[in-house]
């Protein structure tokens, strides 16, 4: 397979500007959360005068970390349900700060924003890029990652999260070490050890883990960020191959920015502009 190509954030032209705050009510920002960036953004927005921030979590994690501002949990009922919530709660700006692989949520957010005219932006951390010494294999899906494994190794460190493990359940010749924040539901590969852990992780810790479990290939999603990137350094140091599942493309026409500071600038709420 060809080596992984860099996947920079897609940056279409900016959407409509966020309206200025009304003197009669605070500006309401809805953050679709679940990531470290979403928590940092909520904290930054909660500190801004004249801003009300609500973070929405899908509810897949039973013990989510605390967030600043208001919190809601559970789905909206698709794009139409989200559009109705935006209208009913007088949302002035929508920030999709979900995981880079939360494809359906991002699609629903784009449709809801278009239907309601609410300015929207996607906060998407930059993807990982290979450096000299990496042995990365670029695949478009978990199913293709499973297809690649028989030729790469027998002891697999699987760090793709607890959802989607069914793509590997038919593999009977490999032994899997699955790391997840919460215990995954079946079906799982027949030879699987589950490690419950939450990042950030250290390079030394990851290197020791790979050696202790005699891992000879890593499978990961291109989630980006630093919390779980140590495993990539560890595999490079040990000369191990890495199967990297590429991110799904963003919906056409959405605005994407790489960090919290860029969201605040987009919303005209950067510190120097907040007043």
């Amino acid at each position: 397979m060809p080596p992984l190509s860099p996947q920079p954030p897609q940056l279409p032209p900016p959407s409509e500007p966020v309206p200025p705050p009304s003197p009669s009510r605070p500006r309401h920002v809805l953050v679709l959360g679940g990531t470290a960036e979403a928590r940092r953004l909520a904290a930054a927005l909660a500190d801004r005068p004249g801003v009300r921030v609500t973070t929405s979590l899908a509810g897949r994690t039973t013990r989510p970390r605390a967030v600043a501002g208001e919190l809601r949990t559970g789905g909206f009922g698709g794009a139409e349900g989200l559009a109705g919530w935006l209208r009913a709660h007088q949302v002035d700006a929508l920030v999709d700060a979900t995981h880079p692989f939360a494809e359906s949520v991002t699609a629903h957010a784009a449709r809801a924003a278009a239907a309601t005219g609410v300015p929207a932006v996607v906060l998407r951390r930059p993807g990982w890029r290979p450096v000299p010494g990496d042995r990365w294999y670029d695949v478009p899906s978990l199913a293709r990652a499973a297809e690649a494994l028989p030729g790469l190794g027998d002891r697999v460190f699987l760090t793709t999260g607890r959802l989607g493990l069914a793509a590997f359940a038919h593999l009977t010749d490999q032994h899997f070490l699955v790391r997840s924040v919460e215990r995954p539901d079946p079906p799982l590969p027949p030879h699987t050890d589950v490690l419950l852990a939450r990042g950030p992780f250290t390079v030394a810790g990851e290197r020791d883990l790979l050696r202790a479990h005699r891992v000879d290939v890593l499978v990961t999603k291109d989630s980006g960020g630093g919390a779980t990137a140590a495993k990539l350094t560890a595999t490079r140091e040990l000369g191990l191959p890495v199967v990297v599942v590429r991110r799904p493309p963003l919906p056409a026409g959405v605005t994407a920015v790489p960090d919290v500071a860029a969201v605040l600038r987009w919303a005209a709420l950067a510190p120097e502009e907040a007043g």
Side-chain angles (χ1 to χ4, degrees):
M1 294 179 214
L4 182 69
S5 300
Q7 300 291 323
Q10 301 181 33
L11 299 172
S15 63
E16 291 299 315
V18 179
S22 167
S24 60
R25 67 174 179 86
R27 185 187 305 185
H28 190 188
V29 180
L30 174 63
V31 178
L32 305 181
T35 61
E37 290 84 0
R39 291 192 301 276
R40 290 196 292 269
L41 176 62
L45 292 172
D47 283 341
R48 300 291 185 268
V51 176
R52 171 191 173 196
V53 57
T54 301
T55 297
S56 176
L57 301 178
R60 290 175 175 171
T61 301
T62 57
R63 290 179 295 175
R65 292 173 174 172
V67 296
E70 301 173 33
L71 176 67
R72 71 169 301 279
T73 303
F76 290 95
E80 293 76 14
L82 176 54
W85 201 95
L86 296 176
R87 296 188 185 100
H89 294 266
Q90 296 182 290
V91 172
D92 299 293
L94 171 63
V95 182
D96 173 8
T98 56
H99 192 275
F101 285 81
E103 186 174 9
S104 62
V105 175
T106 296
H108 292 161
R111 287 173 51 197
T116 59
V118 172
V121 71
V122 175
L123 171 52
R124 192 67 84 239
R125 70 183 76 135
W128 289 320
R129 298 171 183 264
V131 301
D134 282 327
R135 296 171 57 196
W136 287 12
Y137 297 86
D138 179 14
V139 296
S141 65
L142 291 174
R144 290 290 298 277
E147 292 176 6
L149 286 178
L152 291 175
D154 296 325
R155 298 187 66 84
V156 183
F157 186 24
L158 193 56
T159 63
T160 57
R162 66 188 179 94
L163 302 178
L165 297 182
F168 303 89
H170 65 286
L171 296 177
T172 59
D173 294 332
Q174 281 78 30
H175 187 98
F176 289 85
L177 174 64
V178 172
R179 183 163 67 193
S180 176
V181 174
E182 298 189 356
R183 185 163 295 278
D185 296 324
L188 302 175
H191 308 295
T192 299
D193 294 326
V194 176
L195 175 63
L196 300 181
R198 188 198 296 266
F201 304 103
T202 66
V203 174
E206 297 290 67
R207 188 170 52 241
D208 290 345
L209 181 70
L210 295 171
R211 285 173 171 162
H213 290 269
R214 295 181 288 120
V215 169
D216 49 25
V217 59
L218 166 69
V219 180
T220 189
K221 291 179 176 178
D222 177 23
S223 58
T228 60
K231 62 193 171 189
L232 302 175
T233 303
T235 53
R236 184 187 317 122
E237 292 179 355
L238 297 175
L240 301 181
V242 181
V243 179
V244 182
V245 181
R246 292 187 308 175
R247 299 175 176 190
L250 291 170
V254 304
T255 298
V257 297
D259 53 35
V260 169
V263 174
L264 297 178
R265 290 193 296 270
W266 168 81
L269 289 169
E272 64 271 15
E273 299 170 351

